[in-house]
């Protein structure tokens, strides 16, 4: 089973990102969960969203997990949240930041022995440039697709277009550009 934990703030699209990823995974015939735990959070409150992906039925519905991937879409949470909680020796971290990987790791002691598994991309800048507002979930999905190798980019884009079909074409195109740009820029 592949487990993914998202660290975000309410309003940044982590829940929608987790559900969008779940929708695309479902097209592959795998079992998937996408959920979040956040009570009555106001915009800006810290929250966590989760995905589980497996070949067989997923019976575990607990939030507790040993994540294979940790996706941090709010840069401040990389500094203040315990993003390494319950990690494994193979957990990969994809973190939104304007800092270089070296600068980020220098500021987060818990990542210093995990440098080979830390990836950075500025999802906020990418979303501002492509979507026109800070909505870092789509760029994070692009970075995840690249780092995980779970999908070919074209397959993921085609299926995300289907997920986003309720939006105007302009929004869909902007999200496709954001996903592609993050896929190409993640380091």
């Amino acid at each position: 089973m592949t487990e993914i934990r998202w660290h975000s703030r309410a309003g940044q699209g982590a829940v929608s990102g987790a559900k969008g990823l779940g929708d695309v995974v479902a097209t592959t015939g795998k079992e998937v969960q996408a959920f979040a735990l956040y009570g009555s959070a106001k915009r800006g409150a810290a929250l966590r969203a989760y995905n589980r992906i497996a070949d067989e039925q997923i019976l575990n519905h607990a939030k507790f997990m040993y994540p294979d991937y940790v996706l941090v879409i709010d840069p401040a949470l990389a500094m203040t949240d315990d993003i390494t909680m319950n990690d494994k020796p193979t957990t990969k971290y994809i973190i939104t930041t304007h800092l270089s990987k070296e600068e980020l790791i220098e500021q987060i002691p818990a990542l210093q022995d995990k440098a080979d598994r830390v990836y950075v991309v500025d999802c906020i800048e990418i979303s501002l440039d492509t979507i026109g507002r800070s909505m870092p979930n789509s760029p994070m999905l692009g970075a995840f697709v690249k780092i995980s190798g779970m999908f070919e980019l074209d397959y993921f884009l085609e299926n995300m277009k289907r997920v986003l079909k309720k939006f105007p074409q302009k929004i869909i195109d902007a999200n496709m550009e954001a996903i592609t740009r993050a896929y190409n820029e993640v380091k």
Side-chain angles (χ1 to χ4, degrees), residues 35-83:
F35 62 98
L37 298 171
Y38 55 90
S40 61
K42 295 180 180 178
R43 181 175 289 277
L47 69 85
R48 292 182 186 162
Y50 305 87
N51 289 100
R52 286 194 178 93
I53 302 166
D55 292 326
E56 298 176 1
Q57 184 178 12
I58 302 170
L59 300 175
N60 180 356
H61 296 281
K63 75 173 184 170
F64 181 82
M65 65 171 50
Y66 295 100
D68 297 283
Y69 297 92
V70 174
L71 311 180
V72 183
I73 66 175
D74 185 282
L77 292 176
M79 309 292 181
T80 61
D81 224 359
D82 184 3
I83 64 171

Side-chain angles (χ1 to χ4, degrees), residues 26-171:
T27 67
T28 68
K30 291 187 179 287
E31 296 292 320
V32 65
Q33 286 181 349
F35 62 98
L37 298 171
Y38 55 90
S40 61
K42 295 180 180 178
R43 181 175 289 277
L47 69 85
R48 292 182 186 162
Y50 305 87
N51 289 100
R52 286 194 178 93
I53 302 166
D55 292 326
E56 298 176 1
Q57 184 178 12
I58 302 170
L59 300 175
N60 180 356
H61 296 281
K63 75 173 184 170
F64 181 82
M65 65 171 50
Y66 295 100
D68 297 283
Y69 297 92
V70 174
L71 311 180
V72 183
I73 66 175
D74 185 282
L77 292 176
M79 309 292 181
T80 61
D81 224 359
D82 184 3
I83 64 171
T84 63
M85 177 180 58
N86 299 324
D87 70 346
K88 304 189 290 192
T90 56
T91 299
K92 293 182 180 177
Y93 300 85
I94 306 173
I95 302 172
T96 297
T97 183
H98 67 280
L99 301 172
S100 71
K101 177 178 168 175
E102 295 74 26
E103 290 170 323
L104 178 75
I105 291 171
E106 185 177 307
Q107 293 183 29
I108 305 173
L111 292 178
Q112 291 177 359
D113 64 339
K114 305 167 189 342
D116 60 326
R117 298 180 282 124
V118 173
Y119 301 88
V120 297
V121 62
D122 195 340
C123 294
I124 292 175
E125 178 186 328
I126 291 171
S127 67
L128 288 170
D129 291 349
T130 57
I131 300 169
R133 64 186 189 122
S134 181
M135 189 54 66
N137 60 344
S138 287
M140 182 55 74
L141 287 169
F144 172 75
V145 168
K146 173 78 172 262
I147 300 307
S148 71
M150 194 175 287
F151 305 100
E152 293 293 326
L153 178 60
D154 290 339
Y155 179 86
F156 189 80
L157 291 171
E158 281 307 309
N159 282 283
M160 277 307 290
K161 285 178 189 174
R162 179 187 50 75
V163 170
L164 298 171
K165 69 182 176 198
K166 66 182 178 185
F167 294 104
Q169 190 61 44
K170 176 180 153 183
I171 302 288

Side-chain angles (χ1 to χ4, degrees), residues 126 129-131 157 172-182:
I126 291 171
D129 291 349
T130 57
I131 300 169
L157 291 171
I172 295 170
D173 293 344
N175 277 275
M176 296 305 105
E177 184 181 349
I179 291 167
T180 302
R181 188 167 150 194

